[in-house]
Structures are given as C-alpha cells and as structure tokens.
Amino acid sequence: MTKLQQSSIVHKCAQILDVLAHARRPLAYMEIVEKTGFVKSSAHRILAVMEGEGLVEKDASLKAYRLGPKLSYWAQTAWRKTDLQDVAGAELEAFCEKNGYNVALSIRDDDKVLYLRTLDSVPVRYASRAGERAPLHCTAAGKVFLAHMSESQQDRLLDQLKFERLTENTIVSAEVLKRELKLTRLRGYGTADREESLQVAGVAAPILDTDRAVMAAVSIWCPVAQAGIGELQLMAPELLELTKRISAQMGHHIGT
C-alpha cells in the first residue's frame, strides 16, 4: 500500500469519526455515506475496518453506527495523564524538597514503565527523564504494576517479558519475580535494589483510581552512595501516605 493510499484511508477514517462525533447519535450506513460523500463500497470497507479496530461500533437493533470503545479509552487515558500530573505535581515537589530523594511519577505502558514526570534532588547523568521507558521486572514501579494485576493478567505478561539481566542483582526468573510480587502486594510498595543499575536503589507505591485499580506509581530513588535500600524503605510509610492523598484527589475513596 502506498503512502498516498494510507493517507487517504486515515483521512476517510477521520471524516467518519468527525461525522459521528458531531451527530451525537448513532447514524445509519446511508446517513454516513450522505454526510461524508463517500461511495458506498468505500464507506462499507472503511466502516468494517474501523469496527474491527474498535473505532466504531454497530448497534444491531438500530442498524446504525456510533463511536467505538477504543476512542473512549484513548480519551480517558489522555485525560487521566494530564489530570494526574496536575494533581500530583505539588505533592511530588514537596516530598522531593523535604526528603532529598529523587521522585518519579509513572504509568504502565504495555510491558514498560513510562515516566510522566521526574524530579531530581540529586542530579545524576543516568537518571530517567519524562517520556522515557524502563523495564517492569527490575524497577520498583514496574513491580507495583505487576503485583496489582490479576493472576491471569500477571501470568500472561510475565510470559511475554524479556528478563534482560542489567546487573548482577536483576531478577531473571519469572518464579523468583512472582515471589517478589507477592511481597510487594502484601506490604503495599515495591523495591528495586541495584537491579536496573548498580548505582541505584528505589521504592515505589501505587496511585489507585475510583475502581481500586493501579493507575500510576510514585517512586523515590537515589544513588546507593547516598542511601541504601534499607534507608529508602524507612521512607515507605510516608510514601504510602503521599500516594493515598493523590489517590483520594483522583477519586479513590480511602478505606474502601
């Protein structure tokens, strides 16, 4: 398929989405044809592709199309990312300034940790930056995301993970990691002791949404020359209080 053909299909998909969004009600196939000006065969083919991708869905009883679930997911994800950073920003800055440890806000992006914001109390050249990704199996935040999945979700993802050994401390066995994840779930926070880098230790705690699912994690970390994993774990109660406050502001009812 040529770039021109690809561009044309994307443009037509966008037109259909725009028509459905403005209609604010399901539209019959012929209404979509009329409003877009597409030939019937082209409209039918594109709608079939979009339905398969979850961009539109067909109401069988009405014989009409409406915006699909994937668009709702994209919109909610984008809104939560923006809103989360707004809500968490002041809390993260205050924690970083008070305790002198580096702080990171992250979400799970498939099989990676995606950093949304980082604050460095102790600047180091190997520090992760906003927009960068890190492995799940050897980071404190990654263990938080994995630990709070259902068992079936966790098993599926662990089967897909490449357990790359980054240091001599990196966990490279799914069974060993699963034991670590049980401990993470039990105590409420995850740890990483020189697993991604021999120079770094970290602790992370979850931010929960209205459905008690983990929507993000806050990590505190530093060079081990500044503090070891034991000293960082002493900060875990304060970190958990921080993530509870952020969770409450994001709509999670504490105590439920």
Side-chain angles (χ1 to χ4, degrees):
M1 185 179 291
T2 67
K3 289 185 178 180
L4 182 59
Q5 288 174 315
Q6 291 174 333
S7 177
S8 176
I9 291 173
V10 171
H11 180 66
K12 288 179 178 179
C13 287
Q15 281 183 270
I16 290 175
L17 294 175
D18 194 47
V19 164
L20 291 174
H22 281 86
R24 298 187 180 182
R25 64 175 176 83
L27 293 178
Y29 167 68
M30 286 307 299
E31 288 181 293
I32 294 173
V33 170
E34 180 183 346
K35 290 180 180 294
T36 59
F38 298 163
V39 297
K40 293 180 183 179
S41 59
S42 178
H44 185 271
R45 183 176 67 255
I46 293 171
L47 282 167
V49 171
M50 294 176 71
E51 187 175 6
E53 293 295 329
L55 297 174
V56 301
E57 61 182 3
K58 188 175 182 180
D59 187 318
S61 62
L62 297 175
K63 295 182 179 180
Y65 293 87
R66 56 173 165 252
L67 296 176
K70 184 171 286 187
L71 290 173
S72 176
Y73 168 76
W74 285 347
Q76 290 178 23
T77 301
W79 177 83
R80 284 179 176 178
K81 285 182 182 179
T82 301
D83 195 58
L84 174 62
Q85 292 186 73
D86 291 341
V87 167
E91 292 273 13
L92 299 180
E93 289 173 6
F95 190 97
C96 182
E97 183 176 350
K98 175 185 175 184
N99 296 297
Y101 294 121
N102 295 351
V103 179
L105 175 68
S106 62
I107 60 172
R108 182 172 71 89
D109 184 23
D110 292 328
D111 62 347
K112 293 287 190 295
V113 173
L114 171 62
Y115 294 106
L116 299 181
R117 185 171 184 185
T118 59
L119 297 169
D120 295 346
S121 177
V122 182
V124 290
R125 60 178 177 78
Y126 45 80
S128 297
R129 302 298 177 204
E132 295 183 349
R133 289 169 171 78
L136 291 172
H137 70 290
C138 59
T139 55
K143 292 176 187 177
V144 166
F145 295 128
L146 288 168
H148 287 80
M149 293 178 180
S150 68
E151 187 172 354
S152 59
Q153 284 179 309
Q154 188 183 103
D155 287 341
R156 281 197 300 271
L157 193 49
L158 290 181
D159 285 341
Q160 298 170 12
L161 285 184
K162 296 178 180 179
F163 287 85
E164 183 180 1
R165 183 181 293 279
L166 299 178
T167 77
E168 61 190 37
N169 290 348
T170 305
I171 296 174
V172 293
S173 160
E175 289 305 312
V176 174
L177 181 58
K178 287 181 77 170
R179 292 197 292 270
E180 176 85 2
L181 297 179
K182 287 181 180 179
L183 179 59
T184 298
R185 185 74 178 252
L186 180 65
R187 66 190 175 192
Y189 64 88
T191 64
D193 184 12
R194 298 166 294 162
E195 295 175 41
E196 185 185 13
S197 166
L198 280 174
Q199 292 83 20
V200 170
V203 174
I207 296 174
L208 306 179
D209 64 15
T210 54
D211 298 319
R212 295 183 58 82
V214 177
M215 65 182 300
V218 175
S219 309
I220 58 172
W221 66 276
C222 67
V224 290
Q226 177 188 355
I229 191 64
E231 292 172 86
L232 286 172
Q233 284 185 273
L234 293 177
M235 297 299 303
E238 188 173 343
L239 177 61
L240 288 167
E241 286 301 316
L242 168 70
T243 56
K244 284 181 181 179
R245 290 195 301 272
I246 297 173
S247 297
Q249 292 178 71
M250 294 302 297
H252 172 65
H253 181 64
I254 305 300
T256 60

